[in-house]
Amino acid sequence: MILSLSPAKLVLLAVHFAVQADIDSLAVLAARHDTVLRKDLVLRILLTYLPETLQSNKYVGFLEKIEKGTLSENTDHDIDASSVETLAEGDATKRVRKLRLLPLTFKDTPKEVGDDPITSFLVRRSYKVDEEAGLLAELPTLLLPFMNQSAYVRTLLISTILPLLRRNCEYHPEDPIQYTLSAFQELPDRVAVNLLLSRTGAREEDLPVVGRDLRGLIGPWLVDEKKWKTRRRSIVSPNGEEDDGICAGYDEVLRWLTTQASKNWRVAVNAIQQWGGPGDADLAGWGKLELTEQQQDRVQQAYAQAALASAYVLPEASSEAIEGAYSIAAQVANLRGLDPLPLFPSAVALLPPLAEQISEDIISTKTATFMRNDLLASSNILTVPNNSAVAFLEALILSAHLLTHAGQACTIRRAGELALLQDERDQKEQASKLIHHLNHNGPKTDDKFWLGARNEILWLRDWGAEEVSLETTPKGVFSKLKKEFLEVEILKALLFNTRYSLARSLYEDAPDRPLDEKVLQDTVYATAMTAYDNASNPNRTRGGLKKCDEIIKAFPSTLPKSHPLAQKVEALLQATHALSEYRLVLKQGEPFTPIVLRVHSDPISIIGKILEQNPKSYTRLQDFVDLGNRMVQAGLVKQSPSSSHPSSLPHPPEQVSQRITAMCIDAALTEEDFETAYSFVVTRLDSSATGQQKDDYSWRVALQAGKYRRTARTTKPTHFGTGSANEEIRHLEQRIECLSVALRIAPGATLQEILNVYRRAEEELEVKVRQEEEREEEWDWRGDSVSGTNMPGGFNSTNKAKQARVGGSSRGRDSKEEEAPMSLFDLARATGLTAPRNLSALSGLQRAAGVWLGGGDKNGSERGSMDSARSGGGEVVSPTGGSHDGEGGQQRARKRDQLKNAAMGTLVSGVGWLVGAPGPAAAGGGNGRE
């Protein structure tokens, strides 16, 4: 019991109790003097002087009694009024005037608060507790008892205090939001959403609770009815009608979702997997989001569209990201009640036919812009959730997975661009990269893998359209590519990876062959050539050449051994394998590889390199000729027009043989092996000249052999046969034979050059023969002198021999003066001078020379002349038309005459007939062949 106090002292005492947080005394005082301490006055005193740090449970009961008007006097509780009892009434009144009690209303008080003093107090008290003490956790205890009495208090508690409390104190206390309760309420929706979700999924360990954040933060935040009254954009309802839009706050949530998908796709994927939209909200049991059925369907439609949009903007081309996108599509189908999607592993294994489920409106170049712009717009047919859009996204996801799994990283958007832009060049490049990667990274022994790879590549072209027999334009990431192109590339990959049996079963043995026979032949040949070009070893039993051989033989019905392409490849392999037997370096530091042979502009010249780098290899002339013929059969040696006769084409095998022979002769001469060179000239060039077109190699090398002079390094002959035992004479005779061959096969314009060399060689031979005869005569004379001295009767043979020499010389001079036969070179010179006069109808001497060379067999056998020159016995026709039948010293004369007859026969048969000269037989008076 207290003494009677004036109103001023009662107010001061109530303030004192509020400052001291003596709620019990204040309650008793207010109950006893309710006429002075009215409800609004008590609330103002509490609002102004009650400490913000006081726990809410200490005074919330008092507030409930005030709100209900059930305050009752507690007679057992004594009130201590000593703080005001001694005050004078005037002082008490002055102090009351100075109290400056806070009003319950505040600036911009929401209309929902109205004139309810308790609601106003709770709102202002909540702000003061948060701002002054930062005790946000005390507010639920303060407001929960009054939640049902005030819609505004309920909204404040659920949509603002609960999200902030969870965000700062429960979910992410390490990084709280630095905004007061009142300031947070004033934030724009975008800022508020980003603040609430700023730590959502920021750490790897937080990904499993992304859905928790959306349910516990965004779900309550969206309860505020004001957010649903502000429309941001219109959407299309499931029945195709345009709605009046969704709330701005929810639109910001959806934009946050798509933004996360483009920056941190794991957050977006986990959000869509774990959160079912605004209806999936954790309000702590304090309420629920009250939406009409139409509103609920609208927000679910918008959420599903944002989910589809998120799948298109996933930036990462990894298997995990692509599988996450598939889970988004499956979740959308589930949320909107669309056709369910199979599990991802099953979809990858089965590759379902999706083309028929995708509308024609989607497959358009214009649609491609929707993958980058206006993803959330109602006009975006790619993201508006329906069966066609989900099927299209499923097809893109599976396509991206197949490409990525095969080593060609591909995002959902990239797959969409391939399918929608329909750029044939881009699609071909992507397909080629895919098959190339499989080519070099696929297993070499797994037919099941390659069969599956083929099915996947063909599915990428039409998304399974053929499986359901749709006769429409293909829909797929390779839709612009012909099936034949893909089959050809797949076949090449199978052959490259030695899957010959599988390739044969698919492309040759199958009843319905995917490739035309001609295309199959060309593809097999091209693949074999690719294996050949990639080879590093010219041995056909190893590496690339072995693979080339196996490929060309893998289709016996399509490419039998008799087929021109098979024969061409076989000749190429034989030619290349033959090169493996020699040391061969075309460029310093670079060993010979097979492709060099195939791309070489002049493959025959490679034989010249072999002759240079492999000593004595020229002895294998026939092997090289066979090698050259194989090059011709392989198509490596191209025909080229003749310089003298542009209308004619030389026969490659014959020309190649002549050229290779010339190379071997040149190599033999370079290595000082004249004997071998001579043998090749007289046996190869001479025999090959008859009946064939003249080439530019044979006569030059024959002339080169005719110019050769013995040195100390020259290889010694192993036998002499019927030739002279004198090496110098024998060598000159061989040179003259080579020059004779050169005369028979050389063009007319070059005869003068050869004749000049021939004349010098003949002069040297005459000198050597004369010297040899003089030595023989001297030895004969010495032998006769010795034998004559010792013979009985003293017959003096010296004078006789001397007389014989004198007589012989005299007779020789008389014979020369009487007959004066024309020498070989005089004949040639006279022929050259008279030819223009006798051939005035011809265009020139060069053309006449060509005609001369064409009549090599007209009046006699040149080969017969050569045989005659090499024969050692029988009757020999002399240049003067007589015959000699001698022994001893006359043997040399006969040999020289034979050589002259051979040379004479060459000119007579070649050019002499033009001036009326008789043939070799007539000129010599003999039979023309010895």
Side-chain angles (χ1 to χ4, degrees):
M1 182 70 69
I2 63 173
L3 298 175
S4 178
L5 297 175
S6 64
K9 289 184 178 181
L10 288 175
V11 172
L12 291 177
L13 184 58
V15 170
H16 173 74
F17 288 152
V19 171
Q20 296 298 320
D22 188 354
I23 301 301
D24 293 338
S25 298
L26 180 59
V28 172
L29 183 64
R32 291 178 181 179
H33 304 280
D34 56 347
T35 57
V36 176
L37 298 176
R38 300 180 308 277
K39 181 178 180 179
D40 59 330
L41 179 58
V42 174
L43 292 176
R44 290 181 66 188
I45 291 172
L46 290 175
L47 181 63
T48 307
Y49 292 106
L50 186 66
E52 286 79 10
T53 57
L54 182 64
Q55 294 180 352
S56 298
N57 59 1
K58 300 292 185 180
Y59 62 95
V60 69
F62 175 56
L63 294 176
E64 287 182 290
K65 291 179 181 181
I66 293 176
E67 193 271 335
K68 295 177 181 178
T70 58
L71 288 173
S72 61
E73 180 180 355
N74 187 354
T75 57
D76 297 332
H77 184 80
D78 293 332
I79 297 176
D80 182 9
S82 59
S83 61
V84 296
E85 285 179 343
T86 60
L87 284 176
E89 289 298 332
D91 293 336
T93 302
K94 290 180 181 179
R95 288 189 180 185
V96 170
R97 292 173 181 171
K98 294 179 180 180
L99 286 178
R100 301 290 189 273
L101 296 178
L102 295 175
L104 295 179
T105 59
F106 52 92
K107 184 181 179 181
D108 300 329
T109 301
K111 294 180 180 180
E112 296 86 346
V113 174
D115 298 329
D116 183 16
I118 191 68
T119 301
S120 299
F121 169 80
L122 291 173
V123 173
R124 295 213 63 181
R125 176 66 181 178
S126 298
Y127 292 157
K128 282 177 63 65
V129 169
D130 177 58
E131 294 172 2
E132 302 296 335
L135 296 177
L136 192 64
E138 291 296 325
L139 299 184
T141 305
L142 173 64
L143 300 179
L144 277 174
F146 307 96
M147 185 174 64
N148 294 328
Q149 283 75 22
S150 173
Y152 186 82
V153 170
R154 182 175 61 252
T155 300
L156 174 65
L157 178 62
I158 296 176
S159 68
T160 305
I161 296 175
L162 181 59
L164 272 178
L165 183 62
R166 284 174 170 171
R167 170 64 176 76
N168 291 348
C169 303
E170 183 179 351
Y171 293 171
H172 306 288
E174 74 283 356
D175 185 21
I177 295 176
Q178 300 300 325
Y179 280 91
T180 63
L181 186 62
S182 60
F184 182 79
Q185 282 185 300
E186 300 299 323
L187 290 176
D189 290 339
R190 176 175 298 179
V191 177
V193 169
N194 289 329
L195 282 174
L196 288 174
L197 300 176
S198 60
R199 298 297 302 169
T200 300
R203 299 177 302 180
E204 189 74 21
E205 56 268 26
D206 292 337
L207 291 177
V209 295
V210 171
R212 177 206 66 182
D213 286 10
L214 290 168
R215 280 190 298 272
L217 302 179
I218 298 301
W221 183 78
L222 289 173
V223 169
D224 189 354
E225 294 182 359
K226 291 189 299 183
K227 295 181 174 62
W228 295 93
K229 293 179 180 179
T230 304
R231 304 302 180 191
R232 175 61 59 85
R233 58 185 172 84
S234 62
I235 63 172
V236 176
S237 61
N239 58 13
E241 297 178 357
E242 188 169 310
D243 212 327
D244 59 353
I246 61 174
C247 76
Y250 184 51
D251 186 62
E252 291 300 337
V253 175
L254 300 181
R255 293 185 184 277
W256 174 89
L257 186 63
T258 56
T259 301
Q260 289 300 312
S262 64
K263 295 181 178 179
N264 189 350
W265 64 267
R266 287 180 174 84
V267 174
V269 169
N270 280 276
I272 296 170
Q273 289 176 344
Q274 300 171 25
W275 189 45
D280 183 13
D282 179 8
L283 305 183
W286 299 345
K288 63 179 181 179
L289 179 63
E290 297 180 356
L291 298 175
T292 65
E293 184 177 346
Q294 183 180 5
Q295 286 177 321
Q296 181 67 27
D297 189 71
R298 187 168 65 238
V299 297
Q300 285 296 96
Q301 179 84 351
Y303 177 58
Q305 183 173 9
L308 293 179
S310 299
Y312 280 103
V313 298
L314 294 185
E316 188 173 313
S318 64
S319 297
E320 187 180 0
I322 293 171
E323 187 172 355
Y326 189 85
S327 70
I328 291 176
Q331 179 74 348
V332 170
N334 182 48
L335 288 174
R336 302 306 298 156
L338 305 176
D339 295 338
L341 271 63
L343 295 176
F344 184 68
S346 300
V348 171
L350 297 176
L351 294 179
L354 299 172
E356 65 174 356
Q357 303 177 36
I358 302 171
S359 67
E360 296 294 334
D361 295 338
I362 288 182
I363 306 300
S364 169
T365 55
K366 297 180 180 179
T367 311
T369 60
F370 284 127
M371 290 191 299
R372 296 183 178 274
N373 305 315
D374 302 325
L375 288 170
L376 299 179
S378 59
S379 59
N380 193 325
I381 62 175
L382 297 181
T383 58
V384 172
N386 53 48
N387 283 319
S388 178
V390 172
F392 179 69
L393 178 59
E394 180 185 3
L396 294 184
I397 292 171
L398 293 177
S399 299
H401 170 77
L402 295 179
L403 292 171
T404 301
H405 185 68
Q408 298 301 302
C410 180
T411 62
I412 310 298
R413 178 178 290 176
R414 169 62 177 162
E417 290 173 345
L418 287 171
L420 297 178
L421 295 178
Q422 301 182 19
D423 187 332
E424 182 178 356
R425 181 178 179 181
D426 195 16
Q427 290 184 3
K428 180 175 290 187
E429 181 181 0
Q430 187 69 53
S432 299
K433 288 181 179 179
L434 168 64
I435 298 175
H436 177 79
H437 187 273
L438 293 174
N439 216 359
H440 291 81
N441 297 277
K444 303 293 183 181
T445 59
D446 189 356
D447 283 354
K448 184 178 179 181
F449 168 84
W450 288 105
L451 192 59
R454 175 177 179 265
N455 293 335
E456 290 173 358
I457 293 171
L458 296 179
W459 184 89
L460 288 171
R461 175 179 176 267
D462 50 38
W463 287 338
E466 289 187 351
E467 295 185 16
V468 292
S469 303
L470 287 178
E471 297 180 358
T472 57
T473 303
K475 301 172 184 176
V477 295
F478 297 154
S479 58
K480 281 296 182 178
L481 303 182
K482 294 182 179 179
K483 186 180 178 183
E484 180 183 281
F485 168 79
L486 295 176
E487 292 283 13
V488 166
E489 296 302 314
I490 293 169
L491 174 58
K492 290 179 180 179
L494 293 177
L495 296 178
F496 183 84
N497 287 274
T498 68
R499 299 295 87 214
Y500 306 127
S501 298
L502 177 60
R504 186 164 53 250
S505 66
L506 291 174
Y507 297 98
E508 186 176 69
D509 299 339
D512 185 15
R513 291 187 176 186
L515 291 177
D516 179 73
E517 183 175 8
K518 179 64 168 58
V519 175
L520 179 58
Q521 290 174 351
D522 294 342
T523 303
V524 173
Y525 174 75
T527 309
M529 290 297 95
T530 300
Y532 177 92
D533 293 343
N534 292 333
S536 58
N537 192 331
N539 192 317
R540 70 177 298 174
T541 62
R542 298 179 182 178
L545 263 64
K546 180 183 179 182
K547 181 180 288 187
C548 174
D549 192 20
E550 292 171 347
I551 290 173
I552 209 67
K553 294 176 180 177
F555 296 83
S557 300
T558 305
L559 279 175
K561 293 182 178 179
S562 59
H563 194 278
L565 290 178
Q567 294 177 347
K568 187 176 182 179
V569 173
E570 179 62 25
L572 178 63
L573 292 175
Q574 290 179 1
T576 310
H577 184 76
L579 296 176
S580 67
E581 301 176 9
Y582 304 96
R583 179 184 180 273
L584 179 58
V585 177
L586 300 183
K587 292 183 179 180
Q588 188 174 2
E590 296 182 11
F592 172 79
T593 54
I595 190 176
V596 174
L597 175 63
R598 208 164 81 89
V599 302
H600 205 286
S601 59
D602 184 14
I604 300 299
S605 65
I606 295 177
I607 297 177
K609 295 290 185 179
I610 295 176
L611 294 171
E612 292 176 5
Q613 300 172 24
N614 297 265
K616 301 296 182 182
S617 57
Y618 56 82
T619 59
R620 303 178 64 177
L621 171 60
Q622 189 56 47
D623 292 344
F624 290 128
V625 172
D626 294 339
L627 172 58
N629 290 334
R630 293 190 187 104
M631 290 181 180
V632 173
Q633 295 170 9
L636 303 180
V637 181
K638 308 299 181 183
Q639 294 186 357
S640 58
S642 172
S643 58
S644 58
H645 299 283
S647 62
S648 65
L649 292 176
H651 195 267
E654 297 175 358
Q655 188 182 40
V656 167
S657 176
Q658 295 166 359
R659 183 181 176 188
I660 293 174
T661 301
M663 287 180 174
C664 290
I665 294 172
D666 180 71
L669 294 175
T670 302
E671 297 187 33
E672 307 288 352
D673 188 357
F674 177 78
E675 293 294 326
T676 302
Y678 163 75
S679 174
F680 289 163
V681 170
V682 298
T683 59
R684 293 278 185 166
L685 297 185
D686 195 22
S687 62
S688 65
T690 305
Q692 295 182 8
Q693 288 183 323
K694 300 299 183 285
D695 63 271
D696 201 38
Y697 310 107
S698 301
W699 72 269
R700 290 183 182 278
V701 76
L703 175 60
Q704 183 181 353
K707 292 180 178 180
Y708 181 83
R709 294 182 178 275
R710 294 173 66 250
T711 65
R713 297 187 301 273
T714 302
T715 304
K716 301 292 184 181
T718 56
H719 64 282
F720 292 95
T722 60
S724 171
N726 187 312
E727 292 186 7
E728 294 183 354
I729 294 178
R730 183 177 184 276
H731 180 68
L732 286 169
E733 292 172 348
Q734 290 174 326
R735 286 178 56 194
I736 291 176
E737 284 191 68
C738 293
L739 293 171
S740 299
V741 173
L743 285 170
R744 284 194 291 274
I745 64 178
T750 64
L751 289 178
Q752 187 61 47
E753 177 186 357
I754 301 173
L755 289 173
N756 292 338
V757 178
Y758 196 109
R759 176 179 58 79
R760 290 192 293 270
E762 185 184 50
E763 291 174 353
E764 292 180 25
L765 178 61
E766 288 182 350
V767 172
K768 295 296 183 182
V769 169
R770 190 180 305 113
Q771 293 174 353
E772 180 71 10
E773 288 178 349
E774 291 175 354
R775 283 196 295 270
E776 289 180 356
E777 289 177 357
E778 183 177 354
W779 278 102
D780 290 345
W781 176 79
R782 291 180 180 179
D784 291 344
S785 299
V786 173
S787 61
T789 304
N790 297 329
M791 287 180 62
F795 182 76
N796 189 355
S797 61
T798 302
N799 293 332
K800 294 181 179 180
K802 194 176 295 185
Q803 292 173 0
R805 287 196 302 272
V806 173
S809 301
S810 175
R811 286 193 299 273
R813 285 193 300 270
D814 294 341
S815 176
K816 291 178 181 177
E817 291 174 358
E818 292 174 2
E819 299 180 7
M822 185 178 289
S823 71
L824 175 64
F825 299 103
D826 292 337
L827 175 60
R829 189 177 299 108
T831 301
L833 293 173
T834 58
R837 295 193 299 271
N838 295 333
L839 301 174
S840 59
L842 300 178
S843 61
L845 183 58
Q846 181 177 6
R847 184 176 177 185
V851 177
W852 302 345
L853 294 175
D857 294 330
K858 191 176 183 79
N859 295 314
S861 172
E862 294 175 353
R863 188 63 188 165
S865 299
M866 296 304 298
D867 294 341
S868 174
R870 288 193 293 271
S871 64
E875 185 177 15
V876 181
V877 180
S878 70
T880 60
S883 63
H884 300 276
D885 192 14
E887 301 174 350
Q890 294 179 352
Q891 182 74 15
R892 292 296 177 192
R894 284 203 306 274
K895 188 66 176 179
R896 180 185 61 189
D897 293 340
Q898 291 172 11
L899 292 173
K900 288 184 178 181
N901 283 337
M904 181 68 74
T906 299
L907 288 179
V908 168
S909 63
V911 301
W913 64 275
L914 290 174
V915 294
N927 55 15
R929 191 173 173 85
E930 310 202 334

